[in-house]
Amino acid sequence: MAGFRHRLVRAAAWVVGAFTLAGCALIEIDGSMTTFDPAGPNARRLDDLFWMVFWIATAVFVLVMLGLAFILLVFRDRGQKEVREPKQLHGNAKLEVLWTVIPALILAAIAVPTVSAVFDLTGCDDDAMRVEVTGHQWWFEYHYPDYGFDTANVLVMPVDEEVCLEMTSEDVLHNFWVPAIHGKRYLVPGQITLLRFEADRTGTFQGHCAEFCGLSHSLMRAQVDVMSRADFEAWAAAQQVPTLVPGEGTLAYEGFEIYRNRCIQCHAMRFDQDDLSISIERSAFNGPDLTHFASRAVFAGAILPEGTESREDALKRWLADPPYVKPGSFMPNLALSAQEIDALIAFLGGTE
Amino acid sequence: MSDLAHDAAIADHPEHESTGVSNVKLGMWVFLSSEFLFFGALITNYLLYSNRSGFEGRYPADVYDIPFTSVSSFVLLMSSLTMVLAHNALSRGDQNGVRTWLFATAALGSVFLGGQVFEFTEFVTIYGATPATNPAWSAFYLLTGFHGLHVAIGVIMLLTLWGISRRRGDLSDKQGLNLEMVGLYWHFVDIIWIVIFTVVYLISVPPV
Amino acid sequence: MSAEHQEHPTPAQYWKIAAFLAVITAIEVAMYYIDQELELGVLNAGILVALSTMKFLIVVGWFMHLKFEKPLLSRFFTAGFLLACGCYLVVLSALGVVAVRGG
Amino acid sequence: MTATAQRPTTTVFRRPRSHTGFWSWITTVDHKRIGIMYGYAAFSFFVIGGIEALLLRIQLAQANSEFLTAGAYNALFTMHGTTMVFLFIMPASAAFMNYLLPLMIGARDVAFPRLNALSWWIFFFGGIFLYSTFFFGTSLAPIGPGGVTGNLAMGGGPGSFNFIASSPDGGWFGYQPNAGPLYSPGTAMDYWALGIQILGLASLVSAVNFIVTVFNMRAKGMRLLRMPVFVWMTTVVAFLLLFSLPIIAVALFMVTFDRQFGSVFFASTAGGDPILWQHLFWLFGHPEVYILILPAMGIVSEVLPVFSRKPLFGYSAVVFAGAAIAFLGFGVWAHHMFASGITPVAQAAFGLATMTIAIPTGIKIFNWMGTMWGGRLTLNTPMLFAIGFLAMFTIGGLSGVTHAVVPSDWQQTDTYYIVAHFHYVLFGGAVFGIFAGLYYWFPKLTGRLLNEKLGKTHFWLMFIGFNLTFAPMHWLGMQGMVRRTWKYPPEFGLGPWNLAVTIGSFVIALSILVFMINWYRSKRRGVASGMDPWDARTVEWMIPSPPPEHNFTDPPVVTRLDHFWHLKYDEDEEGRPVRRAEADALLERLEHEGNNPSSPIHLPNPSYWPILMSVGIPTAFWGIIYHTNTWGKALIVIGAVVILTSLIGWSIEPLEEPHGDDHRDDGSEHDFAEVGSGEESGDGVEDV
Ligand code: HEA
Ligand code: HEA
Ligand code: CUA
Ligand SMILES: [Cu+2]
């Protein structure tokens, strides 16, 4: 029986080790994409469901493993002389019924909250504010029908009220995911899918395109700014006004010229002089609307600026060679000179 | 099922537990049962897309030539008759009958294929409808095309058998079994067309 | 050939069966034109499906001799058929809804 | 081999006669040799797929790594998934089925030996075809709306393409329209679609073959409910293949037509529906995952009883649970699409359907534990792997149930939590099961035992490495690490655990190396195993190891489940086995008779046609990819001609050498009306 105790000790050691490891992990990970820190009722509902099923599954697993461990410790053949041949049991109808019914019951218990949550959490309330989300390779576009402007990469929404995302894609499948606010939903070309967004805490939340959508799927991220209703209205108002054409002769104006000759092919922009404005429809190919570019914390699919990088450096890198930063990028390398880049940065810097 | 296999073994096989159905025949039926899922998928595509509204250009159902297709369907249906007559002749040892009916079946099959070729060319030339026109047409061509392919393969097998019986004057047991198998295959292709003719041609109406 | 316990139909019977099939086909085509006039819609579809099912069963049962074969064969055959119907109907209904608007 | 003798050579269509050497392998129709070839091919692809995985892991070892380009990464995970599923697990299972099915039901061979060879060669050339993409395939930057093309970085860098990157990169389920003509231009995805098409054809042929074999070729008394569970699972899998492959075949044809012939099934611009692809793929794809696991479950059901010295607990329950899993498996596919916007009704229905599968699977798990309960457990390597399967698969299964809780799957889907789930079921399940089988039947294959020390080292290394690799993925997924991501930023804080995963994957690699060494050494210098090293229960152990070409000198007449065991053991009044006095004499007799048949035995002849025909298929498919230019068209024609000629050759090939006193034919005098109809020759093996 010494061997038996020995084995127990070893097993215990393993378990402790595993748990400490897991513990470290919990501390170590800051988790800006974690699903365990919900910031809204929907995400919280999902979180609760997960832990419910997680603990049930864990219980089942532990029971099975205990059974297995017992069997291995007790019935293992250690070459003892005295052990006799085992009874040749062929089965037991009662047991069969038992381990058919019990799992069935457990599953039924899981099924009830599952189904109710499915129906509660799909679709939107009709009076919810609509935001039209369009997926592109590799960035998200947001259109605010009630206010009539477009923005990109950063989704801005008011706190404590439901916002209904009406989503579609312009090219391939994408999958819009902001773990803190709700689960995922595909963006399907030619179809509309709905996602009910609601946050009960202001702040900035990270998101990511979760469906494989080609070369730069890994670089298709999203950011959500949740703010008070008042701040949101202010922001929306600011977004509605067209941006100023910089004064002649300034560096910014050179940048404006470059925009008009080159960038305009893909990037729409609304100016205070209407005749200059071009809208998405008029642009040959649809890149992000740059009207209020400077008001967005991140750009290029919400991947830039990286870490502590300054916005300038990030823009420099990007404008110098987009496909290098983002493989397959539909924005080509325009072979811009250093001062052309500076001019553009100056111009874009002014688009508050 | 175990008893079934057992009876069979007692009944007509001293050496094996077995269904009492020859391997080839059993295999053929098993294979045919999977063909249902093949054509099922093709028909599903067609039903899905022929009921989606808002496609470019015409829908197949707009341009079907029902009288023409009815005739070719009738032809294929009758080829099943000739096929079964060939098989029947074989079991009566009437080798000439076998040869005649085999040829008749192959001929009818070819007529059906000709009809399909004609139909396709008509659609392409008159209505400019190609697989690229819209998903409904893609589905139409894939479905009817694969059915046509099955018919073509059947015709080849029929002619091969016919050729063999011409050369050897009669069909060996093995060839005989092959004839039965080709028969099963042929009838199956026919019943698939029975479904296609009804579901795709007669029922389907373009979405409004 | 193999393990058929009942009697084969005779050629005469085969001709009769074929004639019957031909008649059904004729009725089907007729239904098509009747529907053009009367707009029967679902009813028409129902009738047509019923008729073609009849044809289907006759060909399988007599021409393919399934009626005279060991039940095992029909079991396989129907298994494939039913599975196909079941799965694809679900696919169709699922897609029919999605197209309108996703949840 | 006793069954060989000299005979006059005749006719143009002589059948090949060599029984040793290269040609004998090329032309063999012996299910055992075909099984062995399947096995080696599958394992080679495992190594390739594994090395692809290791490359993925090196890239992901730390944040923002640039070891691989984006294109290369996408290509590698696509090829890794495709290889492991279609070129490793499936053929590995096929290897066991081919080798064991006839032996376990007491048959001379499968019902259609030549078709069997055909399946194998089609698979083999299918694999070659798929991998030829590395040399011939191209994949280019996507073509966006308005015909604008994406751009690749000039002169290297993460944005550029390279050797690896020019192979399929649409993911193993090639979602549309991303894998379509616009967004994956170039030929790589065509290689993928057509390659899987070929592999599917191979499996379909074997499926028919195995079903007929099981229903018609069982030795006398081997009723359906006396068959070993592995045979049952083979049958179930054969039906799953039979009914699910046609679906993927159609779906792949649609893709090929979209990409090659301008149809618009999935072109969203023309109104094509990308979700249709998902339905068709998963309608195949979910049955597929049970195709991958059920053989392993069969293997485990053979190994556990032997090393518990008890019969399988609840035999019929285990069998019917297997069938139930397969049946339910056709009704749950949309659980891969919970986030795709299908209606709440559909989501709920498929969620519930998915959960129900836990019930039959549980029945299996519990019956296996019941088998071990009160037994006398020998914890040698095969047993360890079987127990490892039990534990690891349960984890994977339970995480599967957490996906079935639809709303929580909205968070999990497309993250590493899913990657964790399916590696626990695929690696912890299927792969552990396969290794259990390898250690268990190696003596049958070679007459030698694999080395236990190395075996145990292999097991523990693999067990630890496996958990180190895949357990953290659960955590990573819930921390927001999405799948198929080539890079992740440091601020997500995923680095440390990804490093652990990478280390784990190399530990697995090491364990596989140990196994390879063990195999290599034991094949030559392993301890002789004798005929019945494990005191086994099933009839494949009633013949010498390695088995003679004709398997059974006279097929067993089976009296009950575990026939062989009951020949060796009686039960005392307490129901405990007592070895019969004559048991050892019996074994000796069986061994002697097995090797020296009194009367010559009829076996199907080898044939050239299967391999020839299967060369034609990839040839034609290469042609399809390049059909726009003349030599493409030429290839199609050549392929078609090769296939047709071999078809004709096949059908008029003489069933035996005329006047040959070599009895290796299947009895052309066979009356096909009744199976085998009495006379011994060929035992119903039809030379088709
Ligand atoms: C061997 C292959 C295999 C097997 C056996 C399974 C088994 C199961 N799988 Fe898995 N699955 C895959 C391979 C497999 N899966 C793959 C490859 C994918 C990803 C494809 C891709 O996206 O690339 C996937 C993805 C996948 C998804 C989609 C996730 C997503 O993409 O969002 C889901 C969702 O429901 C799922 C569920 C299940 C369930 C419920 C089972 C069940 O069969 C499990 C049943 C077993 C148990 C439950 C454990 C034992 C039972 C007991 C101990 C009884 C008591 C238990 C209870 C009462 C709960 N799987
Ligand atoms: C049975 C199937 C199977 C198996 C066995 C494996 C085995 C492994 N898998 Fe795989 N995996 C899949 C099926 C499988 N996988 C599927 C279907 C996908 C989805 C693909 C997709 O998303 O499209 C996937 C995806 C997948 C991913 C996610 C990629 C992504 O989403 O970005 C990762 C990442 O870590 C991964 C890792 C591994 C590792 C480390 C192993 C290891 O266990 C491998 C161990 C084997 C070896 C290491 C080779 C043998 C060892 C040697 C030859 C030793 C000598 C050689 C050297 C040391 C170089 N797999
Ligand atoms: Cu968009 Cu991934
Ligand atoms: Cu699944």
Side-chain angles (χ1 to χ4, degrees), chain D residues 282 285-286 289-290 332-333 335-336:
Chain D
W282 291 119
H286 190 85
V289 304
Y290 294 119
V332 303
W333 71 88
H335 67 212
H336 296 271

Side-chain angles (χ1 to χ4, degrees), chain A residues 25-26 28-29 32 34-35 75 77 84-86 88 90 96 175 177 179 184 186 191 211-212 218 328-329, chain D residues 150-151 169 273 278 309 311 314 339 367 374 377 410-411 413-414 475 478-479 484 486 492 496-497 574-576:
Chain A
L26 285 158
E28 194 160 312
I29 291 194
S32 48
T34 185
T35 62
F75 300 116
D77 178 0
R84 306 155 67 203
E85 287 281 10
Q88 303 290 295
H90 291 271
E96 298 294 346
N175 191 349
W177 188 34
K184 305 178 188 65
Y186 286 9
Q191 293 174 23
E211 188 55 63
F212 178 63
S218 343
S329 154
Chain D
N151 304 278
D169 56 0
D273 187 341
Q278 297 188 17
R309 300 188 62 76
N367 277 293
L377 310 184
W410 296 336
Q411 291 283 30
T413 188
D414 284 334
W475 177 257
M478 296 315 277
Q479 286 305 318
R484 301 166 162 188
W486 152 68
F492 285 4
W497 283 105
E574 264 183 308
R576 301 181 190 276

Side-chain angles (χ1 to χ4, degrees), chain A residues 137-156:
Chain A
Q137 284 178 321
W138 292 270
W139 57 284
F140 289 106
E141 175 184 9
Y142 311 103
H143 176 69
Y144 289 72
D146 311 1
Y147 302 85
F149 60 81
D150 299 280
T151 174
N153 298 318
V154 184
L155 171 67
V156 179

Side-chain angles (χ1 to χ4, degrees), chain A residues 56 60 64 102-104 106-107 110, chain D residues 172-173 282 286 289-290 292-293 297 325 335-336 338 354-355 357-359 361-363 365-366 393-401 403-405 409 412-414 418 421-422 425-426 430 483-484:
Chain A
I56 294 178
V60 173
V64 173
I102 293 181
I106 299 175
L107 289 164
I110 303 175
Chain D
W172 86 282
F173 46 71
W282 291 119
H286 190 85
V289 304
Y290 294 119
L292 299 174
I293 197 65
M297 290 181 161
I325 291 175
H335 67 212
H336 296 271
F338 282 150
T354 305
M355 289 179 190
I357 297 189
I359 297 169
T361 318
I363 294 178
I365 300 271
F366 296 130
F393 176 78
T394 304
I395 300 178
L398 290 168
S399 63
V401 173
H403 307 323
V405 175
D409 184 64
Q412 297 158 1
T413 188
D414 284 334
I418 303 299
H421 159 68
F422 65 71
V425 280
L426 281 168
R483 292 173 71 163
R484 301 166 162 188

